[in-house]
Amino acid sequence: MKNVLSLLLLLLCLGTQAADKEILNLRTNYEKNPLGIEELPRFSWEMSAPGQYGAAQKAYRLVVAKGKENLEKGIFVYDSGKKKSSLSVSIGYEGEPLEPDTRYYWQVSVWDEKGK
């Protein structure tokens, strides 16, 4: 996976939103929906909880799928599982090698300090 050359990916970001929280500014390699990255993808996002003092991410789950339909069906090429971490910047892809000239979609779920 380390020798990925000319990997043409379109990693589209699909955020989620709860009634009192939302995930914003989803990025792949610091870009929104990049096309044609030549390195392993690194994912970033922000959790917003307006009016909730002290709200913070305590865990996340990152999934990547080949095509939007597979993402919606839960057919993933990568699933990080729930990871206890407050990190949300430059999270590295740890799955099987991605195919060139392929469109991938990713989604992240986060849990706050209350486990929601």
Side-chain angles (χ1 to χ4, degrees), residues 21-41:
K21 293 176 186 58
E22 62 182 321
I23 311 242
L24 305 168
N25 300 323
L26 286 90
R27 300 279 188 257
T28 306
N29 295 6
Y30 302 102
E31 295 182 37
K32 182 177 181 182
N33 300 331
L35 179 61
I37 63 173
E38 295 185 5
E39 56 201 34
L40 290 176

Side-chain angles (χ1 to χ4, degrees), residues 7-111:
L7 183 61
L8 179 60
L9 300 176
L10 178 59
L11 288 157
L12 297 174
C13 313
L14 299 177
T16 58
Q17 181 175 353
D20 57 348
K21 293 176 186 58
E22 62 182 321
I23 311 242
L24 305 168
N25 300 323
L26 286 90
R27 300 279 188 257
T28 306
N29 295 6
Y30 302 102
E31 295 182 37
K32 182 177 181 182
N33 300 331
L35 179 61
I37 63 173
E38 295 185 5
E39 56 201 34
L40 290 176
R42 301 193 73 74
F43 305 99
S44 303
W45 62 87
E46 296 174 18
M47 183 185 89
S48 174
Q52 295 183 37
Y53 181 75
Q57 173 187 307
K58 295 297 181 180
Y60 71 87
R61 178 183 178 215
L62 176 69
V63 296
V64 178
K66 190 187 300 186
K68 187 175 182 179
E69 304 79 29
N70 286 337
L71 183 68
E72 292 169 350
K73 291 178 183 177
I75 302 170
F76 309 126
V77 296
Y78 174 67
D79 184 343
S80 70
K82 186 176 179 180
K83 292 195 174 197
K84 291 183 179 182
S85 176
S86 61
L87 297 177
S88 63
V89 176
S90 197
I91 305 299
Y93 174 80
E94 298 175 344
E96 295 296 317
L98 298 172
E99 299 172 16
D101 301 319
T102 303
R103 189 172 291 202
Y104 290 89
Y105 287 74
W106 70 280
Q107 186 173 46
V108 64
S109 301
V110 300
W111 287 262

